[in-house]
Amino acid sequence: MDNCLGLLGLAKKAGILEIGDDKVTDAAGLSKARLIMSASDASPKSAQRAEYLAEAGGSVYIELPYTKEELGAVLGRGMPGMLAITDVGMAES
């Protein structure tokens, strides 16, 4: 498993990973999101929304090199197109 995917799995177990549009939107709105990410195959509209949420919430946005299917396999949650990490230290990793 790739180191980045391993960190995402660890973040999920630690309860510092928000998965999916609604959860990420809530975290960004409460200024809890430190890093907002989109899957490589997320729709352009979804990726644009993730980038907007990051900018509006004062966090960082990146597009991951993983598909929604790859993220879902690691996280055990369908095929998420958007994720957010709420911990500063983990976001820096």
Side-chain angles (χ1 to χ4, degrees):
M1 179 185 311
D2 182 293
N3 186 43
C4 183
L5 289 175
L7 287 174
L8 289 174
L10 183 62
K12 181 183 181 237
K13 288 179 184 177
I16 57 173
L17 180 69
E18 300 296 341
I19 303 170
D21 187 89
D22 291 340
K23 295 283 188 176
V24 172
T25 300
D26 291 346
L30 296 171
S31 297
K32 290 184 178 182
R34 301 295 177 235
L35 174 65
I36 296 179
M37 303 158 281
S38 64
S40 62
D41 61 346
S43 71
K45 184 178 179 181
S46 181
Q48 194 172 39
R49 177 165 169 70
E51 190 170 7
Y52 167 78
L53 289 171
E55 186 177 311
S59 59
V60 175
Y61 166 77
I62 61 170
E63 181 181 312
L64 295 170
Y66 310 107
T67 64
K68 293 186 287 186
E69 185 176 348
E70 291 170 319
L71 293 172
V74 170
L75 302 173
R77 295 276 311 266
M79 295 188 357
M82 192 183 307
L83 308 167
I85 292 182
T86 58
D87 178 78
V88 173
M90 183 64 80
E92 289 176 356
S93 296

